[in-house]
Amino acid sequence: MADITASMVKDLREKSGAGMMDCKKALGETSGDMDAAMDWLRTKGLAAAAKKSSRTAAEGLVGVAVSGTSGAAVEVNSETDFVAKNAQFQDFVREVTQIALATGDDVEALKAEAMPSGTTVGEVLTNNIATIGENQSIRRAKRLSVGNGAVVSYVHNQQSAGLGKIGVLVALESEAPEETLQTLGKQIAQHVAAAFPLALTADGIDPEVVEREAAIAREKNADKIVGKSPEVAEKIIKGPVDKFRRENALLTQAIVHDGKTPVADVVAKAAKEAGAPITLVDYVRFQLGEGIEREASDFAAEVAAASGVPQKKDEPTPEPTA
């Protein structure tokens, strides 16, 4: 039997898209013959993942889980919304979220963790791609913890327990009663889901985002700053920029429940009523597919291609008949 080296396994994994253990087994079954190993993987339906991995996956589910004073959110993508309703896919997202809750939120490290079955997350993901028939990926994960207090979760339009399109975690540091923290946390989490803050505080907003807003303010106020000194011009655009920062930082946003009270004041009121300080220390908001560039689909061309009659380029669309 040929010696199976780590380099051979790596090469086959990159070529096939299959899991490491599957590649090692395939090489063992075929005495190290790379082409035969590729065929072996294909017969098992495992190499199919390679072709599917190039397709855009912007659907799927966000999972959230909380245990004690820690919480985790994970986004797992698929190509279509149909997969999100698949029990196998839902169980996978739920299990991966529990693993992130226990071990951390580094995605690559997460893929190397063992599932309850003993197989790694990455290998199960590859197998799911092959068996379900769509490209899937673990896009991101985030874990929050507090020393004392609560991490509260919320799923908007929950599809199944702990799974949906928007998942939110809110971390509150406090010795206030659990009931108070859960009520406050749920209120803030609902706000986060609806209001989409960019950061916890105004200073936490990405400087590039703030600079883009400043450029917009300069453009809008161009007639007011013509001929003005740089110092005066900056004062003119400071108002709109400061307003943008206030409206996009969680603590200074007006909570959606009444549209006027800053979130920081809602927290302060709850703390006063509970007789104990409460600090909103962090939050997570994962919205499914956020920021993923989706490929445009030409349905007519797809149907034509499937029928074996590809649409001609620049062919005029026939006029409808009466």
Side-chain angles (χ1 to χ4, degrees), residues 257-295:
H257 298 79
D258 67 13
K260 60 182 181 181
T261 308
V263 170
D265 290 353
V266 173
V267 175
K269 181 181 178 183
K272 183 177 180 180
E273 292 175 351
I278 301 175
T279 303
L280 173 55
V281 294
D282 207 352
Y283 76 95
V284 174
R285 183 189 188 276
F286 281 177
Q287 180 167 339
L288 184 67
E290 175 191 337
I292 296 178
E293 185 174 345
R294 302 173 189 242
E295 294 178 356

Side-chain angles (χ1 to χ4, degrees), residues 245-256:
R245 295 170 76 237
R246 285 195 307 272
E247 292 179 346
N248 287 280
L250 177 54
L251 286 171
T252 49
Q253 285 182 324
I255 198 159
V256 296

Side-chain angles (χ1 to χ4, degrees), residues 3 5 9 43-44 46 55 72 77 82 87 92 108 116 146 162 184 190 193 206 210 243 251 261 263 270 300 311 320:
D3 291 332
T5 66
V9 174
T43 63
K44 301 296 182 182
L46 297 172
R55 303 204 298 246
N77 297 128
F82 293 107
F92 175 74
E108 291 306 312
V146 293
L184 175 63
Q190 289 173 341
D206 186 340
V210 175
K243 181 182 179 183
L251 286 171
T261 308
V263 170
Q311 192 175 29

Side-chain angles (χ1 to χ4, degrees), residues 60-64 153-169 186 189-195 256 284-288:
L61 287 169
V62 173
V64 296
S153 67
Y154 171 70
V155 178
H156 186 65
N157 289 338
Q158 182 168 269
Q159 184 163 317
S160 182
L163 304 175
K165 303 291 187 183
I166 299 176
V168 178
L169 296 173
K186 190 71 70 177
Q190 289 173 341
H191 167 86
V192 169
V256 296
V284 174
R285 183 189 188 276
F286 281 177
Q287 180 167 339
L288 184 67

Side-chain angles (χ1 to χ4, degrees), residues 139-221:
R139 184 185 181 203
R140 52 183 173 169
K142 183 67 178 178
R143 184 176 184 268
L144 297 183
S145 294
V146 293
N148 290 307
V151 174
V152 183
S153 67
Y154 171 70
V155 178
H156 186 65
N157 289 338
Q158 182 168 269
Q159 184 163 317
S160 182
L163 304 175
K165 303 291 187 183
I166 299 176
V168 178
L169 296 173
V170 170
L172 299 169
E173 188 81 39
S174 178
E175 294 183 359
E178 179 70 14
E179 183 178 355
T180 297
L181 298 179
Q182 289 295 326
T183 299
L184 175 63
K186 190 71 70 177
Q187 185 181 22
I188 295 173
Q190 289 173 341
H191 167 86
V192 169
F196 198 171
L198 298 179
L200 182 65
T201 66
D203 290 340
I205 298 176
D206 186 340
E208 289 187 7
V209 174
V210 175
E211 181 51 43
R212 284 200 301 270
E213 194 63 27
I216 292 171
R218 290 188 189 95
E219 183 69 26
K220 286 183 176 179
N221 294 280

